Amino acid sequence: MTDFTEQDLSDSSFEKVSLQRATFRDVSLAEASFTDVDLSGVRIHSGWLDKVRMTAVEVPDLEIDGQIGRLVVNGVEVGPLVEAELDRRHPERAAMRPTTADGFREAFAILDRLWGETLDRARVLPAEQLHEQVAGEWSFIQTLRHLGFAHACWISGVIYGFPSPWHPLDLPWDEAPVHEGVPWERRARPELHEVLALRRQRRATVAELLERMDDAGLTRQVTSATPFLTDVPDLTVGHCLRVVVNEEWQHRLYAERDLATLAS
């Protein structure tokens, strides 16, 4: 096995080469060209696929899970079709795109109800299973810890401007840059009640913010006080709240999927 670490292989040519089971992490394949390649069983996590073009491909089994903008398959723009089908499957999903203060209050109320149902399903499982990962994804406990980080980052760190809003149980995303003072104890195994206690605190912060929020307040410009998001321009209160709403919605769906697997 050959390791390539911190090397520039730009403009290299690979012909009749086997890269089976190779691992690519923090690698740029921008503007690479693939011809007559076998990508069977490839798994891409946290990838950026802007302006990708695939022609003359055979796709007997392809699954995509992520934020999809423009996606054209055989000349058909399928992005709007996917969005419409997801809204049909999940009637509450349309409320997750709020543009007013009342809309955000409604969105978080819906999320509270849905997460309550999800937690009811989680509580009937053995405590150990809540730490179990399905297909390499976060465990249920890790998912809740990551949502704690999202609240700390976007609400406390940006909207409120706290430079160190972290709790030891907060869990950044896997590819996050390491910063001094930011917790990253992925192997920690707290009990459900510990994580939920922190979650209630974070949810109370959002509730307090929304209680006095009006539509004009959503447009207020904000800047991150933590090491994260410092290069993101034109952040507003509404933008930050939308990110948290999306995080809560998507990760609950992931949790529901994995809880169903664990229960079976």
Side-chain angles (χ1 to χ4, degrees), residues 137-154:
E137 300 292 343
W138 279 331
S139 69
F140 186 77
I141 295 293
Q142 288 173 328
T143 295
L144 295 179
R145 292 176 58 204
H146 174 67
L147 290 174
F149 172 83
H151 277 258
C153 188
W154 290 93

Side-chain angles (χ1 to χ4, degrees), residues 134-177:
V134 177
E137 300 292 343
W138 279 331
S139 69
F140 186 77
I141 295 293
Q142 288 173 328
T143 295
L144 295 179
R145 292 176 58 204
H146 174 67
L147 290 174
F149 172 83
H151 277 258
C153 188
W154 290 93
I155 304 298
S156 299
V158 182
I159 295 180
Y160 280 106
F162 297 151
S164 184
W166 321 115
H167 185 279
L169 291 180
D170 289 339
L171 183 64
W173 71 101
D174 285 346
E175 297 78 20

Side-chain angles (χ1 to χ4, degrees), residues 151-263:
H151 277 258
C153 188
W154 290 93
I155 304 298
S156 299
V158 182
I159 295 180
Y160 280 106
F162 297 151
S164 184
W166 321 115
H167 185 279
L169 291 180
D170 289 339
L171 183 64
W173 71 101
D174 285 346
E175 297 78 20
V178 177
H179 294 292
E180 185 177 356
V182 178
W184 202 336
E185 294 295 331
R186 186 173 187 187
R187 290 179 293 182
R189 295 173 70 86
E191 296 185 23
L192 179 61
H193 71 86
E194 297 178 81
V195 179
L196 291 181
L198 175 60
R199 182 166 173 79
R200 284 191 292 271
Q201 293 176 22
R202 294 278 163 72
R203 180 65 185 89
T205 300
V206 175
E208 180 185 7
L209 175 68
L210 290 176
E211 184 178 4
R212 51 189 173 80
M213 181 63 61
D214 56 20
D215 293 351
L218 296 175
T219 65
R220 178 170 65 88
Q221 296 277 328
V222 288
T223 303
S224 176
T226 77
F228 300 99
L229 309 171
T230 55
D231 59 343
V232 180
D234 302 324
L235 283 175
T236 65
V237 170
H239 178 96
C240 296
L241 286 170
R242 269 187 288 276
V243 171
V244 174
V245 166
N246 183 66
E247 287 280 300
E248 290 279 348
W249 175 265
Q250 293 294 344
H251 282 289
R252 193 194 70 85
L253 293 180
Y254 301 150
E256 286 280 340
R257 174 199 63 198
D258 293 346
L259 287 173
T261 300
L262 293 171

Side-chain angles (χ1 to χ4, degrees), residues 27-91:
V27 171
S28 173
L29 295 173
E31 300 182 40
S33 175
F34 300 86
T35 304
D36 193 18
V37 294
D38 183 355
L39 299 175
S40 300
V42 167
R43 187 175 188 277
I44 300 174
H45 176 73
S46 188
W48 179 249
L49 301 176
D50 187 31
K51 296 183 177 62
V52 172
R53 302 291 182 268
M54 294 184 283
T55 57
V57 296
E58 297 182 26
V59 189
D61 186 357
L62 172 64
E63 185 174 324
I64 301 175
D65 188 348
Q67 296 186 29
I68 299 174
R70 178 177 178 269
L71 176 60
V72 178
V73 179
N74 289 341
V76 179
E77 170 61 76
V78 301
L81 304 179
V82 173
E83 288 295 302
E85 174 61 15
L86 289 174
D87 284 349
R88 186 192 67 80
R89 294 184 182 186
H90 308 285

